[in-house]
Amino acid sequence: MDRLRQRADFVAAASGPRMASPAFVVQSRPRDDAGPVRVGFTVTKKVGTATERNRVRRRLRELVKRLDVISMRPHHDYVIVGRRAALDRGFETMFNDLRSALSRLERQPPRQPSDPKPHANSRTRSSE
């Protein structure tokens, strides 16, 4: 597994399907290349001080390290957004939450681009 580092990859993953748990949100995005699974971590300042954010990030990284690669789809990017509850939640509970979120993401169909809405001025006239 590789790490996501560039902002464009994080933004692209944000537009894909997501699953939430009390301690984190998992976002997913399929890629068109043959590269390995990539994972990125985000913890906002709303979570707490720098020390608390780093602790959440370390816990999330350890969860992914202990996770079997089979749980993640090949050729996908995943972003895990940490929440404040990750500070106090039990590690085994978070691990089960992550496995559950990944399996739910796997069952979820990919998002289709929505049809553009017609403009009010582009109405068709039936008889003129």
Side-chain angles (χ1 to χ4, degrees):
M1 267 185 285
D2 288 346
R3 292 277 308 271
L4 288 177
R5 303 244 183 230
Q6 298 199 2
R7 184 177 188 280
D9 294 329
F10 283 85
V11 171
S15 65
R18 67 187 71 203
M19 285 295 151
S21 81
F24 52 81
V25 176
V26 180
Q27 301 170 340
S28 173
R29 175 183 82 104
R31 291 191 331 262
D32 293 334
D33 61 7
V37 172
R38 298 187 307 176
V39 181
F41 302 94
T42 300
V43 182
T44 66
K45 287 187 177 182
K46 280 197 245 181
V47 170
T49 64
T51 307
E52 292 169 328
R53 293 191 310 267
N54 287 333
R55 182 169 177 234
V56 169
R57 198 174 296 114
R58 282 193 308 269
R59 295 187 87 200
L60 294 176
R61 275 196 311 257
E62 189 61 30
L63 284 174
V64 172
K65 282 181 191 176
R66 293 184 184 195
L67 189 68
D68 51 350
V69 181
I70 298 169
S71 298
M72 296 184 171
R73 290 182 182 177
H75 317 299
H76 273 66
D77 288 342
Y78 294 94
V79 174
I80 302 176
V81 182
R83 294 180 169 173
R84 184 152 182 87
L87 288 169
D88 301 323
R89 196 157 173 90
F91 192 80
E92 287 299 317
T93 307
M94 284 177 52
F95 185 75
N96 293 333
D97 289 346
L98 181 59
R99 291 183 67 155
S100 172
L102 290 172
S103 68
R104 286 183 293 166
L105 274 174
E106 190 171 316
R107 291 188 307 250
Q108 189 175 30
R111 284 186 181 177
Q112 298 296 326
S114 60
D115 296 328
K117 295 180 181 178
H119 291 101
N121 295 339
S122 63
R123 293 183 190 155
T124 59
R125 296 180 185 171
S126 57
S127 62
E128 285 188 21

